[in-house]
Amino acid sequence: MGTLRIRSLPNFWIHASCDHSVAVRLTPNGLDHTSIRMIWLVDRKAEEGSDYVLDKLLPFWLLTAEQDWKICTDQQRGVNSLAYTPGPLSTYKEYNLDRFLRWYVQEMKAYLEK
């Protein structure tokens, strides 16, 4: 079995497998705070225990999420450091993020010129 992953950078993604999906949305609430909403989805006809086992499903995603949040916290700590110097984005992995950032800067400039 495989999984389907859908990403809408910079703040939304879905991981879907044969018996469940997990959707994650990040909402910035300031310079150093982000709200995180994770939603686990199963088929409305699915029955716990036979179609999925919650005790096996949740620990994996909670562990993964906790690791992700730690990485994000550590990265933010580094960005806030006086030693931080921004570098170029990866043209291979971050081209969508680069496109989003260029669009955002363009929109902000247009707004400020009004």
Side-chain angles (χ1 to χ4, degrees), residues 1-104:
M1 301 273 177
T3 63
L4 172 67
R5 297 178 183 189
I6 301 169
R7 292 180 291 167
S8 177
L9 293 174
N11 65 340
F12 181 76
W13 61 89
I14 297 173
H15 289 227
S17 64
C18 62
D19 61 346
H20 72 283
S21 296
V22 178
V24 180
R25 184 181 70 186
L26 307 175
T27 306
N29 293 323
L31 292 176
D32 61 355
H33 186 264
T34 300
S35 294
I36 302 163
R37 182 169 186 186
M38 293 183 75
I39 302 172
W40 284 265
L41 304 165
V42 296
D43 187 285
R44 66 178 164 203
K45 296 177 185 174
E47 294 185 24
E48 185 178 347
S50 60
D51 297 311
Y52 66 94
V53 179
L54 202 55
D55 290 340
K56 290 184 179 178
L57 179 70
L58 291 180
F60 169 77
W61 284 108
L62 291 173
L63 175 63
T64 302
E66 288 170 2
Q67 291 169 347
D68 287 347
W69 311 152
K70 172 133 177 48
I71 290 169
C72 291
T73 300
D74 290 347
Q75 286 180 336
Q76 186 64 50
R77 189 176 299 119
V79 168
N80 292 343
S81 161
L82 294 175
Y84 175 74
T85 303
L89 295 172
S90 165
T91 56
Y92 174 69
K93 286 285 197 175
E94 297 175 306
Y95 60 91
N96 284 330
L97 182 56
D98 180 60
R99 190 174 342 159
F100 171 78
L101 292 173
R102 289 175 191 273
W103 169 84
Y104 183 81

